[in-house]
Amino acid sequence: MLRDVTSTFNAWSFNISDQMKAVFAATGNEIPTNSVEVTLPRILIGAARKISFLNNRFTLAPEIGIDITFDGERNVLIQTSTASADPHFGFEAGYKNMIFVRGGIGNIQTETDINGVHYTSFMPNIGIGIKFKGFTLDYALTNIGDESVALYSNIFSLKLDLNRKPL
């Protein structure tokens, strides 16, 4: 999939009150002045394979993908001065096309600790899903094992399939 193939230009203006300026100054933040942003093209490549077994009651779908950006060097696993590539991996295990368990790894980065030692970090994710009569409810827990002060992210989604074919 290609995103922003011809680039995307966003323009905005700021109307900052004196009170807001005081907040920016008190918190040590710069008052935004740039009113144009360019989003450069991005390529998303992925592949998955669904494997059925035990009379199609169980499925396993491993996935691998990579997001390639062209806005310079980013803190991702593969980086150059013009492009960066962020790989991710995952799987989905299903039972009777009704109950699903998912897991994955993404946000793979090289970081430096306080002693100057480089190490690779990543963000694991897990989730479950239930599909029943055209309704799908999914839950994902992300930011697992992150050592920062940020809390976990709990993501819920609900889908209704209006064109569902009878089983």
Side-chain angles (χ1 to χ4, degrees):
M1 178 172 74
L2 300 175
R3 285 190 183 166
D4 302 304
V5 175
T6 60
S7 297
T8 300
F9 297 89
N10 300 304
W12 62 88
S13 63
F14 295 97
N15 185 9
I16 299 177
S17 66
D18 290 336
Q19 182 182 8
M20 188 73 129
K21 288 179 185 176
V23 170
F24 272 83
T27 57
N29 289 302
E30 291 182 28
I31 297 174
T33 57
N34 190 357
S35 63
V36 177
E37 176 184 76
V38 178
T39 304
L40 296 176
R42 175 183 297 230
I43 299 173
L44 308 173
I45 302 170
R49 173 80 172 151
K50 190 173 189 178
I51 304 161
S52 299
F53 50 97
L54 293 176
N55 296 327
N56 292 325
R57 288 185 301 178
F58 292 92
T59 58
L60 182 63
E63 175 271 338
I64 186 169
I66 192 163
D67 301 347
I68 303 170
T69 56
F70 298 94
D71 56 355
E73 191 171 336
R74 291 182 171 211
N75 187 19
V76 294
L77 191 61
I78 303 165
Q79 24 181 289
T80 70
S81 61
T82 56
S84 297
D86 186 15
H88 43 86
F89 313 91
F91 75 92
E92 175 187 83
Y95 174 69
K96 290 189 175 182
N97 199 33
M98 194 165 107
I99 300 170
F100 304 92
V101 175
R102 301 178 184 102
I105 296 174
N107 200 26
I108 304 169
Q109 299 181 351
T110 301
E111 297 187 36
T112 307
D113 68 13
I114 196 165
N115 297 320
V117 177
H118 297 286
Y119 66 97
T120 301
S121 68
F122 59 90
M123 185 183 300
N125 306 288
I126 59 172
I128 58 172
I130 298 171
K131 187 187 290 187
F132 184 71
K133 293 190 178 184
F135 288 96
T136 303
L137 176 64
D138 287 311
Y139 167 74
L141 178 63
T142 66
N143 220 17
I144 304 166
D146 188 8
E147 297 174 5
S148 70
V149 295
L151 299 176
Y152 303 119
S153 296
N154 295 280
I155 303 168
F156 293 89
S157 63
L158 179 64
K159 181 174 91 172
L160 171 62
D161 187 354
L162 299 175
N163 295 316
R164 186 177 67 91
K165 295 177 183 173
L167 296 176

